[in-house]
Amino acid sequence: MRIVIAEDDALLREGLVLLLRSEGFEVAAAVDHPGDLVATVEAVEPDLAVVDVRMPPTFTDEGLRAALEARRRVPGLAILALSAFIEDGYAGDLLAAGGGGAGYLLKERVGKPDEFLDALRRVAAGGTVLDRDVVAVQLARPRPGDPVATLNAREREVVALLAEGHSVPTIGRLLGIGTAAARQHAGDVSTKLRVPDGAQAMLSYLRA
């Protein structure tokens, strides 16, 4: 897997390069400016871009916008966006864009290599990943009739893990309940919230 990194913090950028190379990934380039990201992606056509959301010159959403432009020029590019802050709107923009695997994580997850690398691999495989803290914010958002309030504790756990992008078998393993029980809970959740089965549908519901 070929990866391009866009991160203006030199320490984090080099840390990502070392981590990914130590795990056998090919880091084709590591840049510190959003404009360089677009040009580099066009030149090397990587499988995945790991991108800081906030980059120069204004440190708002330049990194995210550059990543989406890079995907427009290199269709299918997977994007894993990193942020120091919980920015629900930016996460929604990325996940709603379509066109390839997408993930949005807080930068602190890089300090937990197993979690970070699992998310990276799922995004590279075409999946969707959302940081658990962003999911918690979305679950707490008031909604008409508050359908989330009808869920029991286990069902809320299942909703959160679905929204983070985990498959039903993985949810069963993480919760220690097995695939069949996890599938039953996922079905119950879909019925109560009136959304189709699956992680992507749950993400769409929570973003609405």
Side-chain angles (χ1 to χ4, degrees), residues 54 130 176:
R54 296 188 176 195
L130 189 58

Side-chain angles (χ1 to χ4, degrees), residues 11 20 68 75 98 156 166 180 192 196:
L11 184 61
L20 294 175
L68 293 175
R156 288 180 69 90
H166 293 290
K192 289 184 178 181

Side-chain angles (χ1 to χ4, degrees), residues 162-163 166 168 186 190 195-203:
L162 280 170
H166 293 290
V168 168
S190 296
V195 298
D197 288 338
Q200 192 60 50
M202 196 59 63
L203 277 167

Side-chain angles (χ1 to χ4, degrees), residues 14-188:
E14 292 308 311
L16 284 166
V17 170
L18 289 172
L19 171 63
L20 294 175
R21 285 180 174 163
S22 72
E23 292 293 323
F25 296 104
E26 179 186 351
V27 179
V31 302
D32 63 1
H33 192 278
D36 293 336
L37 170 65
V38 176
T40 301
V41 166
E42 279 195 291
V44 306
E45 297 189 355
D47 303 295
L48 180 140
V50 179
V51 184
D52 183 7
V53 170
R54 296 188 176 195
M55 296 189 73
T58 68
F59 296 94
T60 53
D61 64 350
E62 284 93 340
L64 178 60
R65 298 302 159 206
L68 293 175
E69 173 62 19
R71 176 185 281 172
R72 187 185 70 79
R73 300 188 189 190
V74 180
L77 176 70
I79 300 170
L80 178 57
L82 302 178
S83 178
F85 309 95
I86 297 176
E87 297 166 309
D88 190 18
Y90 293 157
D93 290 346
L94 172 61
L95 299 179
Y104 185 94
L105 292 179
L106 295 182
K107 288 185 177 182
E108 64 190 64
R109 304 297 172 218
V110 178
K112 299 177 180 179
D114 289 345
E115 291 185 27
F116 174 72
L117 293 169
D118 173 67
L120 183 145
R121 290 185 175 100
R122 286 190 282 136
V123 170
T128 301
V129 172
L130 189 58
D131 193 277
R132 69 172 69 96
D133 288 352
V134 177
V135 171
V137 169
Q138 293 178 334
L139 278 171
R141 180 184 299 137
R143 292 176 176 80
D146 196 15
V148 174
T150 67
L151 304 179
N152 61 39
R154 177 63 81 192
E155 289 168 345
R156 288 180 69 90
E157 289 178 320
V158 171
V159 166
L161 290 169
L162 280 170
E164 289 171 29
H166 293 290
S167 66
V168 168
T170 299
I171 291 171
R173 177 176 56 80
L174 291 172
L175 296 180
I177 59 176
T179 299
R183 185 172 291 113
Q184 180 63 53
H185 285 304
D188 292 343

